Amino acid sequence: MKLINLLFPFFLALTGCNIDGELAECPYNVKLEYWYTADAYDNLLSSYVYTLHEYLFDGAGILRQTAFRAVKSGIYTEMSLPPGDYTLVTWGNVDTISRVTPLQIGITKLSEIQLCTDKAENTEPLYYSCHAFSVGETGVLRRRVDLLHCHLKLSVTVCWEVAPPPDSGNYRMTLAGIYPAYRFVPEYSLNSLAGEEVCIPYRPESVAGITHQTTGKMNISREVEGTFYTYRLHGTDHPVFRLWSGSEPLIHEIDLYRHFRTMQINLDRNYRQEFNLLMVIDADGNIMVSSLSSGDWIEGGTIGTGDK
């Protein structure tokens, strides 16, 4: 035990940081810890976020550096920065479906960059943060950075009161009126259950709407099920759903705007957009839309209490 006590200061000297990380020799002066939480107590980041793409901007909003991190390698990011003001934008789970508009270190501005896709397939389950901080002349800045759920997960079950169709094995679902683009700057800042600031990004004004598509499968109860992953909905959006068998539509178009408005869901500011809808088709072809489950994940929240 005496030997350990004698060696401990030696190891601290080698690392260049004391326990509080305040020595000038420390190899970093900013240490940020990423969080994603649903209950204010547990960090669920590693269960839902697998990669992090970081974009650091200076006080003038100029891009200064980018970095890619795998969450399995750690939930911390460490930087050595000159004194000044900074903004760190982080996207979780960006893969090959979404793309960042062209950028150049030292030239591109925060206000210019966008994340977008023009593909009809399901997108990544995205997460987002925009965190401003200041670096002083001395000391180490430690902060917690909370990411916010930044995608729509829409699960749909379609069933028939009488005479469901045969299982063609070729079902697909489409969702029109989706606007898959985000600016890097936040539109809304909210407080999480943990009291931490979380942000919802702006949607560009000139983005074109597209139609997303996902596979539908008939279950043992002769119901067709499918799940969309795409960018967040806004309160004025009119997402239009339709079920197909190959190129043949099985139901008429359903504008889900009425459902979300009836359920009084604030799509502009809700923390998590996960919905589980049931569509029942009667003998006359009329369709009733309801929620399979409902509940508030957080104040002002969502329908659905499943995966984050």
Side-chain angles (χ1 to χ4, degrees), residues 156-201:
V156 181
T157 300
V158 180
C159 65
W160 290 260
E161 290 185 339
V162 295
D167 187 357
S168 66
N170 193 25
Y171 293 113
R172 61 188 179 94
M173 297 177 174
T174 56
L175 191 66
I178 299 299
Y179 299 89
Y182 294 125
R183 294 175 63 191
F184 273 39
V185 293
E187 182 171 10
Y188 300 110
S189 294
L190 312 169
N191 286 326
S192 69
L193 277 176
E196 301 292 331
E197 183 182 52
V198 289
C199 299
I200 298 173

Side-chain angles (χ1 to χ4, degrees), residues 36 48 125 127 149 151-155 228-229 232 260 265 267 270-277 293-295 301-308:
Y36 176 70
Y48 299 101
Y127 294 80
H149 189 284
H151 61 274
L152 166 70
K153 179 184 177 183
L154 179 65
S155 297
F228 295 94
Y229 283 90
R232 286 177 62 99
F260 292 126
I265 300 170
L267 293 172
N270 64 335
Y271 288 74
R272 185 183 62 159
Q273 290 194 356
E274 294 202 356
F275 309 105
N276 198 354
L277 303 184
S293 60
S294 64
T302 66
I303 295 176
T305 54
D307 295 340
K308 288 15 148 223

Side-chain angles (χ1 to χ4, degrees), residues 62 73 129 182 220 237:
I62 304 298
S73 299
S129 74
Y182 294 125
I220 194 171
D237 290 348

